[in-house]
Amino acid sequence: MASACGLLFAAALAAQQNGTEGANGRNAHWYMGNYSNEVLVWDEASEEVVDRIPVKRPISLRLTLSADRSRLYVLDPFFETVEVIALPSKASIGEFTLSEGATRTWIRSFQVHPNMEWAAMLVQSRTKLADRYEIDDPTILRLDLATYEVTDTIPWPGEELRQSANFRFSPDGTSCTCSRTI
C-alpha cells in the first residue's frame, strides 16, 4: 500500500521533533525528505502527514533543525547546497554553497550553534584538473550564518582526521562534541 509519504529516501528520515506538544507533553512532528520538491511534516500522534514544506531541489538528503526550532536546514542530494527554511512561514530565506568554479565542496555534516549565528561543518573539497581530480582532506569549518562566509577552520579533536563526524552542541552552546560516524 502506498503511503502519503511517497518514496522516502532512507537517509533523509532525519526526523526532528518540532516541540509543539506530545512526547514529554509535546506533539512531535517529524520532518522527512523525499523524492519531490518538498519536505513532509509527519505528526507522531496521528501518524499522518500534516503539512508539506516546498524546497527548491528534489531529494532533501539531510535535514537539520535549529535549537529553537525556527529554522530547517536542507542539504541537497549532491552534498553541495544547503537551503534555509523559516518554519513559521515555510518560506525559503536563503541558501549557500562552498563550491566554486572547478572546485566542488561536499558538506558531509552540519550543525547549527544554539545562538543561530554560526554552524560547524565537516566538508571535503575536490578540484577537477585536466587529467585528474585533486581531493582535499576533510576539514571542520565555522560558517557565519548571516553572511554564509567561512570564518574559521576548527582543529580536529585529538588531531584525529576523519572522513565523517557528527557535531552536537550543549543546549547553552558552551561545548560541542564531535562524534565518529560509521
Side-chain angles (χ1 to χ4, degrees):
M1 179 177 154
S3 72
C5 293
L7 298 173
L8 292 178
F9 192 66
L13 285 177
Q16 304 283 338
Q17 290 186 351
N18 79 351
T20 56
E21 272 204 88
N24 311 14
R26 297 194 307 227
N27 219 358
H29 286 165
W30 293 18
Y31 298 96
M32 298 185 284
N34 60 58
Y35 286 106
S36 66
N37 287 64
E38 60 189 9
V39 170
L40 303 176
V41 182
W42 186 77
D43 179 69
E44 188 176 50
S46 66
E47 297 183 0
E48 294 180 0
V49 174
V50 294
D51 205 353
R52 296 168 188 272
I53 301 170
V55 292
K56 294 180 180 178
R57 290 169 187 77
I59 312 177
S60 304
L61 190 60
R62 184 171 187 156
L63 308 173
T64 301
L65 188 63
S66 64
D68 71 354
R69 305 179 193 292
S70 67
R71 301 278 188 271
L72 186 65
Y73 298 85
V74 181
L75 181 62
D76 79 344
F78 302 106
F79 298 95
E80 290 186 43
T81 304
V82 174
E83 183 177 359
V84 183
I85 306 293
L87 284 177
S89 65
K90 298 187 291 182
S92 178
I93 59 170
E95 66 179 10
F96 61 88
T97 184
L98 301 178
S99 295
E100 188 175 335
T103 300
R104 299 285 173 228
T105 302
W106 290 306
I107 301 169
R108 295 187 177 268
S109 186
F110 178 86
Q111 188 64 41
V112 178
H113 188 271
N115 70 13
M116 293 180 42
E117 293 175 3
W118 65 279
M121 302 173 62
L122 172 63
V123 302
Q124 187 171 23
S125 296
R126 67 205 184 280
T127 302
K128 184 176 182 178
L129 304 174
D131 60 342
R132 67 187 184 285
Y133 284 91
E134 185 176 275
I135 300 176
D136 296 341
D137 286 335
T139 307
I140 302 174
L141 301 176
R142 179 179 173 137
L143 181 85
D144 183 307
L145 291 173
T147 62
Y148 302 133
E149 297 291 326
V150 173
T151 60
D152 201 2
T153 300
I154 301 170
W156 279 97
E159 298 183 30
E160 180 186 352
L161 188 75
R162 305 174 191 168
Q163 291 296 316
S164 60
N166 283 323
F167 306 105
R168 294 286 178 246
F169 288 101
S170 63
D172 64 1
T174 57
S175 65
C176 179
T177 60
C178 178
S179 61
R180 181 183 310 267
T181 57
I182 298 174

Coordinates of all heavy atoms in Angstrom, one line a residue, residues 54-87:
P54 N 7.6 23.4 0.8 CA 8.3 23.4 -0.5 C 9.8 23.8 -0.4 O 10.1 24.6 0.5 CB 7.5 24.5 -1.3 CG 6.9 25.4 -0.2 CD 6.7 24.5 1.0
V55 N 10.6 23.1 -1.2 CA 12.0 23.3 -1.2 C 12.4 23.5 -2.7 O 11.7 23.0 -3.6 CB 12.8 22.2 -0.5 CG1 12.6 22.3 1.0 CG2 12.5 20.9 -1.1
K56 N 13.6 24.0 -2.9 CA 14.0 24.3 -4.3 C 14.5 23.1 -5.1 O 14.4 23.1 -6.3 CB 15.1 25.4 -4.3 CG 14.6 26.7 -3.8 CD 15.7 27.7 -3.8 CE 15.2 29.1 -3.3 NZ 16.3 30.1 -3.2
R57 N 15.0 22.1 -4.4 CA 15.6 21.0 -5.0 C 14.9 19.7 -4.6 O 14.6 19.5 -3.4 CB 17.1 20.9 -4.7 CG 17.9 22.0 -5.4 CD 19.3 22.0 -4.8 NE 20.0 23.2 -5.4 CZ 19.8 24.4 -4.9 NH1 19.0 24.6 -3.9 NH2 20.5 25.4 -5.4
P58 N 14.8 18.7 -5.5 CA 14.2 17.4 -5.1 C 15.3 16.6 -4.2 O 16.4 17.0 -4.3 CB 13.9 16.7 -6.4 CG 14.8 17.3 -7.4 CD 15.0 18.8 -6.9
I59 N 14.8 15.7 -3.6 CA 15.6 14.8 -2.7 C 16.3 15.5 -1.6 O 17.5 15.8 -1.7 CB 16.6 13.9 -3.5 CG1 15.9 13.2 -4.7 CG2 17.2 12.9 -2.6 CD1 16.9 12.4 -5.6
S60 N 15.6 15.9 -0.6 CA 16.2 16.6 0.5 C 16.9 15.5 1.3 O 16.3 14.7 2.0 CB 15.1 17.2 1.4 OG 14.3 18.1 0.6
L61 N 18.2 15.6 1.2 CA 19.1 14.5 1.7 C 19.3 14.5 3.2 O 19.1 13.5 3.9 CB 20.4 14.5 1.0 CG 21.3 13.3 1.3 CD1 20.6 12.0 0.8 CD2 22.6 13.5 0.6
R62 N 19.6 15.6 3.8 CA 19.9 15.7 5.2 C 19.2 16.9 5.8 O 19.3 18.0 5.2 CB 21.4 15.8 5.5 CG 21.7 15.7 7.0 CD 23.1 15.6 7.2 NE 23.3 15.4 8.7 CZ 24.4 14.8 9.2 NH1 25.3 14.3 8.4 NH2 24.5 14.7 10.5
L63 N 18.4 16.8 6.9 CA 17.7 17.9 7.4 C 18.2 18.2 8.8 O 18.5 17.3 9.6 CB 16.2 17.5 7.5 CG 15.6 17.0 6.3 CD1 14.2 16.5 6.5 CD2 15.6 18.1 5.2
T64 N 18.5 19.5 9.1 CA 19.0 19.9 10.4 C 18.1 21.0 11.0 O 17.8 21.9 10.3 CB 20.4 20.4 10.3 OG1 21.3 19.4 9.7 CG2 21.0 20.9 11.6
L65 N 17.6 20.7 12.2 CA 16.6 21.7 12.8 C 17.4 22.5 13.8 O 18.3 22.1 14.5 CB 15.6 20.9 13.6 CG 14.4 21.6 14.2 CD1 13.6 22.3 13.1 CD2 13.5 20.6 14.9
S66 N 17.2 23.9 13.8 CA 17.8 24.8 14.7 C 17.3 24.5 16.1 O 16.2 23.9 16.3 CB 17.6 26.2 14.4 OG 16.2 26.5 14.5
A67 N 18.1 24.8 17.1 CA 17.8 24.5 18.5 C 16.5 25.2 18.9 O 15.7 24.6 19.7 CB 18.9 25.0 19.5
D68 N 16.2 26.4 18.4 CA 14.9 27.0 18.8 C 13.7 26.6 17.9 O 12.6 27.1 18.0 CB 15.0 28.5 18.8 CG 15.2 29.1 17.4 OD1 15.3 28.4 16.4 OD2 15.2 30.4 17.3
R69 N 14.0 25.6 17.0 CA 13.0 25.0 16.1 C 12.4 26.0 15.1 O 11.3 25.8 14.6 CB 12.0 24.3 16.9 CG 12.6 23.2 17.8 CD 11.6 22.5 18.6 NE 12.1 21.7 19.7 CZ 12.8 20.6 19.6 NH1 13.2 20.2 18.5 NH2 13.2 20.0 20.7
S70 N 13.1 27.1 14.8 CA 12.5 28.1 13.9 C 13.1 28.0 12.5 O 12.5 28.5 11.5 CB 12.8 29.5 14.4 OG 14.2 29.8 14.3
R71 N 14.2 27.2 12.3 CA 14.8 27.1 11.0 C 15.0 25.6 10.7 O 15.4 24.8 11.6 CB 16.2 27.8 11.0 CG 16.1 29.3 11.2 CD 15.8 30.1 10.0 NE 15.9 31.5 10.2 CZ 15.0 32.3 10.7 NH1 13.8 31.8 11.0 NH2 15.2 33.6 10.8
L72 N 14.9 25.3 9.4 CA 15.2 23.9 9.0 C 16.3 24.1 7.9 O 16.1 24.9 6.9 CB 14.0 23.3 8.4 CG 14.1 21.8 8.0 CD1 14.4 20.9 9.2 CD2 12.8 21.3 7.3
Y73 N 17.4 23.4 8.0 CA 18.5 23.5 7.0 C 18.4 22.2 6.2 O 18.5 21.1 6.7 CB 19.8 23.6 7.8 CG 19.9 24.9 8.6 CD1 19.4 25.0 9.9 CD2 20.4 26.1 8.0 CE1 19.4 26.1 10.6 CE2 20.4 27.2 8.7 CZ 19.9 27.3 10.0 OH 19.9 28.4 10.8
V74 N 18.3 22.3 4.9 CA 18.0 21.2 4.0 C 19.2 21.0 3.0 O 19.5 21.9 2.2 CB 16.7 21.4 3.2 CG1 16.4 20.3 2.3 CG2 15.5 21.7 4.1
L75 N 19.9 19.9 3.1 CA 21.0 19.6 2.3 C 20.6 18.9 1.0 O 19.8 18.0 1.1 CB 22.0 18.7 3.0 CG 23.3 18.3 2.3 CD1 24.2 19.5 1.9 CD2 24.1 17.3 3.1
D76 N 21.1 19.4 -0.1 CA 20.7 18.8 -1.4 C 21.4 17.4 -1.6 O 22.3 17.1 -0.9 CB 21.0 19.8 -2.6 CG 22.5 19.8 -3.0 OD1 23.3 19.3 -2.2 OD2 22.7 20.3 -4.1
P77 N 20.9 16.7 -2.7 CA 21.5 15.3 -2.9 C 22.9 15.3 -3.4 O 23.5 14.2 -3.4 CB 20.5 14.7 -3.9 CG 19.9 15.9 -4.6 CD 19.9 17.0 -3.6
F78 N 23.5 16.4 -3.8 CA 24.8 16.4 -4.2 C 25.8 16.9 -3.1 O 27.0 17.0 -3.3 CB 25.0 17.4 -5.4 CG 24.1 17.0 -6.6 CD1 22.9 17.7 -6.8 CD2 24.4 15.8 -7.3 CE1 22.1 17.3 -7.9 CE2 23.5 15.4 -8.3 CZ 22.4 16.2 -8.6
F79 N 25.3 17.1 -1.9 CA 26.1 17.4 -0.7 C 26.7 18.8 -0.9 O 27.8 19.0 -0.3 CB 27.1 16.4 -0.4 CG 26.6 15.0 0.0 CD1 26.5 14.1 -1.0 CD2 26.2 14.7 1.2 CE1 26.0 12.8 -0.7 CE2 25.7 13.5 1.6 CZ 25.6 12.5 0.6
E80 N 26.2 19.7 -1.7 CA 26.8 20.9 -2.0 C 26.1 22.2 -1.6 O 26.7 23.2 -1.3 CB 27.1 21.1 -3.5 CG 28.2 20.1 -4.0 CD 28.5 20.3 -5.4 OE1 28.7 21.5 -5.9 OE2 28.7 19.4 -6.2
T81 N 24.8 22.1 -1.5 CA 24.0 23.3 -1.2 C 23.0 23.1 -0.1 O 22.4 22.0 0.0 CB 23.1 23.7 -2.5 OG1 24.0 23.9 -3.6 CG2 22.4 25.0 -2.2
V82 N 23.0 24.0 0.9 CA 22.1 24.0 2.0 C 21.0 25.1 1.8 O 21.4 26.3 1.6 CB 22.8 24.2 3.3 CG1 21.8 24.2 4.5 CG2 23.8 23.0 3.6
E83 N 19.8 24.8 1.8 CA 18.7 25.7 1.8 C 18.2 26.0 3.2 O 18.0 25.0 4.0 CB 17.5 25.2 0.9 CG 16.4 26.2 0.7 CD 15.3 25.7 -0.2 OE1 15.5 24.5 -0.8 OE2 14.3 26.4 -0.4
V84 N 17.9 27.2 3.5 CA 17.4 27.6 4.9 C 15.9 27.9 4.8 O 15.5 28.8 4.0 CB 18.2 28.8 5.4 CG1 17.8 29.1 6.8 CG2 19.7 28.6 5.3
I85 N 15.1 27.2 5.6 CA 13.7 27.4 5.6 C 13.3 28.0 6.9 O 13.7 27.5 8.0 CB 13.0 26.0 5.4 CG1 13.4 25.3 4.2 CG2 11.4 26.2 5.4 CD1 13.1 25.9 2.9
A86 N 12.5 29.1 6.9 CA 11.9 29.6 8.1 C 10.6 28.8 8.4 O 9.7 28.8 7.6 CB 11.5 31.1 8.0
L87 N 10.6 28.0 9.5 CA 9.5 27.1 9.7 C 8.1 27.8 10.0 O 7.1 27.3 9.5 CB 9.8 26.1 10.8 CG 10.8 25.0 10.4 CD1 11.1 24.1 11.6 CD2 10.2 24.2 9.3

